[in-house]
């Protein structure tokens, strides 16, 4: 998985995959089908998608692989670092959105 690479490479890999998903959604809409994924043009959705994928698909898979092949541990550490980076990105984007809501007087009470 590209998300087990160093952070810079993982980010590039993830951007390419999400771009492919956006193209697929556009093709599905053009064909009159409901798109599989939407909203990937929004940074928060992109970060949530990557964090969810690394958390619920890749982390269990790579943990099992490291149990069998301990030499893969550095890749698992990369994955964990990338997962933390996506979580941090989500937190920053949510705070920014909340700040915008407060600044415009539209914050929920």
């Amino acid at each position: 998985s590209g998300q087990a690479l160093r952070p810079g490479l993982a980010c590039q890999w993830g951007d390419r995959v999400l771009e492919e998903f956006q193209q697929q959604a556009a093709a599905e809409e053009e064909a009159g089908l409901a798109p599989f994924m939407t909203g990937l043009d929004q940074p928060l959705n992109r970060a949530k998608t990557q964090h969810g994928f690394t958390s619920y698909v890749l982390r269990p898979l790579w943990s099992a692989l490291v149990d069998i092949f301990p030499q893969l541990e550095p890749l698992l550490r990369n994955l964990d670092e990338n997962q933390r980076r996506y979580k941090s990105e989500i937190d920053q984007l949510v705070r920014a959105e909340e700040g915008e809501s407060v600044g415009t007087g539209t914050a929920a009470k």
Side-chain angles (χ1 to χ4, degrees):
S1 166
Q3 293 304 314
L5 299 173
R6 293 185 327 268
L9 290 173
C11 185
Q12 290 175 19
W13 187 259
D15 285 345
R16 289 179 182 128
V17 170
L18 292 177
E19 177 62 32
E20 184 178 335
F21 287 167
Q22 284 181 279
Q23 291 173 6
Q24 179 65 36
E28 289 167 347
E29 286 179 333
E30 196 173 297
L33 302 170
F36 170 68
M37 289 187 121
T38 59
L40 292 178
D41 56 332
Q42 301 168 12
L44 182 56
N45 288 347
R46 292 174 73 87
K48 285 181 175 181
T49 297
Q50 292 293 53
H51 186 263
F53 182 63
T54 58
S55 297
Y56 301 110
V57 176
L58 295 180
R59 185 59 166 84
L61 173 66
W62 279 92
S63 291
L65 285 171
V66 168
D67 287 345
I68 299 166
F69 305 105
Q71 66 271 27
L72 295 177
E73 178 71 29
L75 297 175
L76 182 61
R77 286 194 302 267
N78 287 343
L79 176 63
D80 289 341
E81 183 177 350
N82 291 322
Q83 190 176 22
R84 285 189 299 273
R85 185 176 47 79
Y86 289 125
K87 177 65 172 120
S88 175
E89 185 178 348
I90 290 167
D91 293 344
Q92 289 173 358
L93 290 167
V94 167
R95 280 194 303 275
E97 283 185 2
E98 289 171 351
E100 288 175 11
S101 294
V102 170
T104 61
T106 59
K109 296 185 182 200

